[in-house]
Amino acid sequence: MKRTIIHIDMDAFFASVEERDNPELKGKPLVIGALPDERGVVSTCNYAARKFGIHSAMNIKEAYRRCPNAVFMHGDMKKYEQVSIQIHQIMLKFTDKIEFVALDEGYMDVTGSLRLFGGAEKIGRQLKKEIFETLGLTCSVGISYSMMGAKIASEEKKPNGFFVIEDEKALTELIFKRSVRVICGIGSQTEKKLKEFGISTVEDLLKAPPQLIKTLGKAGEDMLRLARGRDDREVIAENISKSIGREYTFQQDVEDKDVLKDTLLLLSGDVGTRAKQKGLYGKTVTLKIKFSDISTITRSKSRDITNSAKKIHSYACELLDEVRILKPVRLVGVTLGNLTETKEEDGGQISLFEELDGTNVQQEKINALEDTVFGLSLKYGKNILKTGKELEVQQKFKKN
Ligand code: TTP
Ligand code: MG
């Protein structure tokens, strides 16, 4: 059956949230990330700053050189996570088949909602309208028959875009003359490799001798299939996906394990909240660390089934203690995996509150307290209650 997929991506996400909240910034070039006198990179910038050639991941000194008059600001991850949850809630009005792939980006399979809402374009337009009216932010929406098609469609008319790619033929025609980078999964390394074989564009790939594709193995077959517009990947909703994860890219590289642990506390809080929202529990906690040279490691631990933020944090910290940090860290992430909807009896009696807050509270009390916090945060927003530790960490982020 033909599917209908929508891809939504917020425009200049962090920067747009700051422009919205600080009206005096309107129209000025705005760079979110490190400050010019710090070591670090651009997280993102608004479209006024992009005119100067500034972009994500650019060294902050280079960004400053290109536009010394821009406003430079640190990001506020907690705020962006909050907005992300609000975006998700608006998307849920149209379908629960949603796969969020970044804070500001997600796929929706709306095949089953078409009749109810009067078609894909109506859903797409309504989505944009509700996000703008409720959150004061613009986004770009792409509609297509596949995930790749929808993603390319949402990029086509950015910012505030709306674009439909009907079928495989329309997609192939659209990307025929473009760089192979347009194909999902082809990054700079693969691009380089393909160039050695004389393949730079989608057209080159489609016209490449079958023998050459064969030498590239399974990856070659996959690329060719995608270049022909065939993409069968399904939108995997979080409530049936195998994991819930969150990660954070530092504006400046970090070497201090305590800062990593503090960051993991915030991330674990978010993972725990998301799991609770979905009524899910997980058995495996995975820690991800990306170093400044972009080498990445992951470590996993399977323990008691849980969705407690405290437990997730504690397991992530145990994993971190087993890693030797020999290079500066650029990104840290935590994922709760092996998800189920049923909670087996909590085995452990480790009082993590003891560790975190210096008080000795029994596990049942901790669970009850977490449930209360969760109930309140659902009602009033995620920031309603925080442990002293969390506040301390947030202050630290703000200072940084
Ligand atoms: P993107 O969607 O890639 O970028 P964007 O929303 O800022 O701009 P647009 O989609 O209009 O092109 O990323 C979403 C957010 O993720 C972005 O606002 C900041 C953050 N981010 C980083 O922190 N570092 C990065 O290298 C990138 C690409 C994004
Ligand atoms: Mg975006």
Side-chain angles (χ1 to χ4, degrees):
M1 187 182 97
K2 188 171 183 268
R3 298 174 299 153
T4 304
I5 314 289
I6 291 182
H7 179 259
I8 167 174
D9 189 306
M10 303 303 292
D11 302 320
F13 184 46
F14 296 180
S16 304
V17 173
E18 296 307 339
E19 275 187 52
R20 177 195 71 178
D21 296 349
N22 304 281
E24 72 279 6
L25 297 174
K26 206 88 216 130
K28 293 184 185 159
L30 172 64
V31 178
I32 309 291
L35 300 184
D37 60 351
E38 297 171 340
R39 233 161 25 104
V41 294
V42 174
S43 289
T44 192
C45 59
N46 66 2
Y47 280 75
R50 290 182 199 195
K51 289 202 182 121
F52 294 86
I54 302 174
H55 57 76
S56 292
M58 175 181 274
N59 188 299
I60 203 71
K61 305 265 188 267
E62 175 61 17
Y64 182 73
R65 198 188 61 74
R66 286 176 187 238
C67 185
N69 292 329
V71 177
F72 290 80
M73 269 178 84
H74 283 146
D76 179 348
M77 281 307 287
K78 205 68 192 168
K79 176 155 81 173
Y80 310 142
E81 279 172 11
Q82 194 69 43
V83 179
S84 178
I85 289 176
Q86 291 174 308
I87 297 166
H88 203 167
Q89 275 159 358
I90 295 172
M91 289 159 80
L92 278 167
K93 292 185 179 178
F94 301 96
T95 177
D96 57 1
K97 269 194 120 181
I98 300 172
E99 184 172 340
F100 240 55
V101 290
L103 273 187
D104 82 324
E105 178 187 349
Y107 294 91
M108 306 159 74
D109 184 333
V110 294
T111 315
S113 317
L114 294 177
R115 278 225 341 243
L116 183 62
F117 293 97
E121 296 203 17
K122 283 224 168 96
I123 296 176
R125 298 268 181 213
Q126 190 63 23
L127 194 59
K128 276 174 75 80
K129 186 166 177 275
E130 290 210 21
I131 288 178
F132 187 70
E133 285 174 0
T134 319
L135 303 176
L137 298 169
T138 63
C139 63
S140 296
V141 161
I143 302 178
S144 195
Y145 63 93
S146 67
M147 288 174 75
M148 183 170 84
K151 166 101 178 157
I152 291 172
S154 79
E155 284 164 0
E156 200 56 27
K157 302 281 178 199
K158 234 177 193 314
N160 204 5
F162 187 90
F163 195 69
V164 181
I165 299 176
E166 285 291 346
D167 49 29
E168 287 176 9
K169 188 168 166 284
L171 178 61
T172 321
E173 277 173 14
L174 184 74
I175 63 174
F176 197 62
K177 294 283 177 199
R178 294 191 190 171
S179 155
V180 284
R181 285 291 288 273
V182 73
I183 294 169
C184 46
I186 299 191
S188 58
Q189 292 307 315
T190 313
E191 180 190 26
K192 232 195 239 163
K193 195 163 170 207
L194 288 173
K195 214 173 206 141
E196 287 167 18
F197 294 109
I199 299 174
S200 301
T201 64
V202 173
E203 177 179 14
D204 297 338
L205 186 60
L206 288 169
K207 291 182 176 165
Q211 212 45 42
L212 178 58
I213 301 292
K214 246 192 191 145
T215 60
L216 298 170
K218 164 109 176 48
E221 274 171 40
D222 287 346
M223 280 182 237
L224 189 62
R225 193 170 36 75
L226 291 167
R228 289 181 176 140
R230 287 179 208 142
D231 174 18
D232 297 329
R233 285 174 303 153
E234 301 254 353
V235 175
I236 302 178
E238 208 164 62
N239 54 359
I240 52 163
S241 71
K242 292 190 192 71
S243 62
I244 296 176
R246 280 292 163 262
E247 50 188 47
Y248 183 80
T249 305
F250 293 106
Q251 287 166 11
Q252 293 162 274
D253 297 341
V254 165
E255 284 172 85
D256 183 347
K257 263 196 179 172
D258 287 339
V259 175
L260 297 178
K261 285 185 181 177
D262 287 348
T263 310
L264 286 171
L265 180 64
L266 290 179
L267 298 175
S268 304
D270 193 48
V271 169
T273 303
R274 287 207 171 235
K276 286 187 170 91
Q277 272 175 336
K278 307 272 175 196
L280 293 173
Y281 302 84
K283 209 162 106 180
T284 307
V285 171
T286 301
L287 169 75
K288 174 177 168 187
I289 296 178
K290 190 191 271 183
F291 295 99
S292 54
D293 60 359
I294 72 160
S295 59
T296 304
I297 58 161
T298 57
R299 298 280 184 274
S300 294
K301 220 177 194 89
S302 289
R303 297 279 285 274
D304 303 335
I305 196 144
T306 192
N307 61 13
S308 148
K310 306 282 177 255
K311 277 200 173 181
I312 297 167
H313 178 243
S314 159
Y315 297 159
C317 287
E318 284 175 28
L319 290 163
L320 180 63
D321 283 334
E322 289 160 18
V323 176
R324 286 172 60 203
I325 306 290
L326 299 173
K327 295 175 273 191
V329 173
R330 173 142 311 164
L331 170 151
V332 68
V334 63
T335 301
L336 183 66
N338 263 322
L339 299 178
T340 72
E341 286 179 344
T342 48
K343 181 181 186 303
E344 287 155 21
E345 220 23 65
D346 253 333
Q349 277 293 317
I350 338 150
S351 176
L352 293 158
F353 262 39
E354 196 169 45
E355 195 184 310
L356 291 167
D357 297 335
T359 47
N360 190 0
V361 191
Q362 282 179 345
Q363 193 63 44
E364 289 133 277
K365 283 196 187 153
I366 294 173
N367 290 342
L369 181 61
E370 281 203 2
D371 286 346
T372 312
V373 175
F374 175 63
L376 285 171
S377 65
L378 262 189
K379 213 161 158 191
Y380 301 110
K382 216 152 67 90
N383 286 327
I384 190 73
L385 277 184
K386 286 184 181 54
T387 63
K389 185 76 179 171
E390 276 180 326
L391 284 172
E392 205 184 291
V393 176
Q394 281 190 1
Q395 289 308 324
K396 214 184 272 182
F397 270 129
K398 286 210 175 102
K399 265 190 247 142
N400 273 339

